[in-house]
Amino acid sequence: MKILVPVKRVIDYNVKPRVKADGSGVDLANVKMSMNPFDEIAIEEAIRIKEAGKAEEIIAVSIGPAKAQETLRTALAMGADRAILVETDDEVEPLAVAKILKAIADEEQPGIVMLGKQSISDDSNQTGQMLAALMGRPQGTFANTVEVEGDAVTVKREIDGGLETVKLTLPAIITTDLRLNEPRYASLPNIMKAKKKPLDTKTPGDFGVDTTARLTTTHVAEPPVRQAGEKVEDVDALVAKIKALGIA
């Protein structure tokens, strides 16, 4: 069985994003970029499934600029076997991403497509669901636990107030949540080996997908600065403040 794992290049989660002066978007100049954390979890889970002898090959895929090769090399260093970069400088929306992934999945025929539930860049949380709809495959979103059993996979999903368990017939789509696992660090020898692993470069046109944006960003602004709190001497003073604000 093959496992296809899409990964996205995003601003590193430790970096505070800056808004461009004209408010047209987020400033990416000289900003540290890394793999989307949810996608790291997806790569880790795919590696664990392979290490358990339930998969033979892991294919990492990224859709983005040429620099996304760095993200793919990270996936290869973690344990992916080969990678595909669909190179484009366009801001690709979730539906176009899902269409490209469908075309790649049609060629590769993976048993599982495992991807992060969302990217921390736009928080769309749409690609996995759209891909499942386009391919007509069962989906297990927000995975907390994944267990492959023969021609099926059992997924415990994180839902409001608890966990839901679903059993999916393979091939299937799975999106990963934060508590699924703790991604490994790539060792130096594996980083060196990753440089020799195959990485193919394609374009959206190779898959017949139009990446023209359907959404227009009108303005981007930083959240308002949080106002400092105020200490009060006792409960009576607190009640008086609340009444003065018209809250109670």
Side-chain angles (χ1 to χ4, degrees), residues 11-248:
I11 295 176
D12 189 272
Y13 68 91
N14 289 311
V15 175
K16 184 185 180 204
R18 300 190 308 270
V19 175
K20 293 179 181 178
D22 61 1
S24 61
V26 176
D27 188 2
L28 300 180
N30 301 316
V31 175
K32 181 183 178 184
M33 308 292 282
S34 62
M35 187 188 301
N36 179 48
F38 290 101
D39 299 340
E40 275 191 301
I41 292 168
I43 283 284
E44 173 65 27
E45 192 64 22
I47 294 167
R48 293 186 184 190
I49 292 171
K50 182 183 175 185
E51 288 175 343
K54 296 176 181 179
E56 289 76 43
E57 186 178 33
I58 300 168
I59 308 161
V61 180
S62 191
I63 302 166
K67 288 184 178 180
Q69 286 191 32
E70 300 167 9
T71 305
L72 288 171
R73 291 295 179 194
T74 299
L76 292 170
M78 288 176 68
D81 298 292
R82 58 188 173 94
I84 301 170
L85 172 63
V86 183
E87 188 174 337
T88 175
D89 291 324
D90 295 337
E91 188 68 33
V92 186
E93 294 174 356
L95 180 58
V97 172
K99 288 179 178 178
I100 292 170
L101 293 177
K102 178 185 182 300
I104 294 173
D106 287 343
E107 289 183 0
E108 298 290 346
Q109 293 295 309
I112 296 174
V113 180
M114 178 131 13
L115 60 166
K117 70 169 185 176
Q118 64 195 75
S119 71
I120 62 172
S121 55
D122 56 20
D123 281 329
S124 291
N125 186 8
Q126 296 176 339
T127 304
Q129 293 89 328
M130 288 178 170
L131 179 60
L134 290 172
M135 300 192 70
R137 290 187 179 182
Q139 59 180 310
T141 54
F142 319 132
N144 174 284
T145 305
V146 176
E147 296 177 0
V148 178
E149 306 161 347
D151 61 352
V153 57
T154 300
V155 178
K156 287 185 180 178
R157 301 180 59 241
E158 296 201 8
I159 59 173
D160 292 342
L163 297 173
E164 176 188 47
T165 302
V166 295
K167 189 171 184 178
L168 314 172
T169 301
L170 297 176
I173 312 296
I174 298 173
T175 71
T176 60
D177 216 322
L178 280 175
R179 282 158 288 277
L180 178 58
N181 60 49
E182 183 71 29
R184 69 192 66 192
Y185 289 101
S187 65
L188 182 58
N190 285 342
I191 291 171
M192 300 305 293
K193 290 176 185 176
K195 295 179 179 180
K196 298 181 180 179
K197 290 183 178 180
L199 192 159
D200 296 331
T201 301
K202 306 279 188 179
T203 66
D206 293 334
F207 302 105
V209 176
D210 179 12
T211 58
T212 303
R214 291 170 168 79
L215 302 175
T216 302
T217 301
T218 58
H219 186 68
V220 177
E222 292 190 9
V225 178
R226 187 172 181 179
Q227 298 297 318
E230 182 180 344
K231 290 184 178 180
V232 294
E233 293 182 359
D234 51 35
V235 174
D236 291 338
L238 174 61
V239 172
K241 282 283 184 184
I242 293 173
K243 286 182 178 179
L245 294 171
I247 298 174

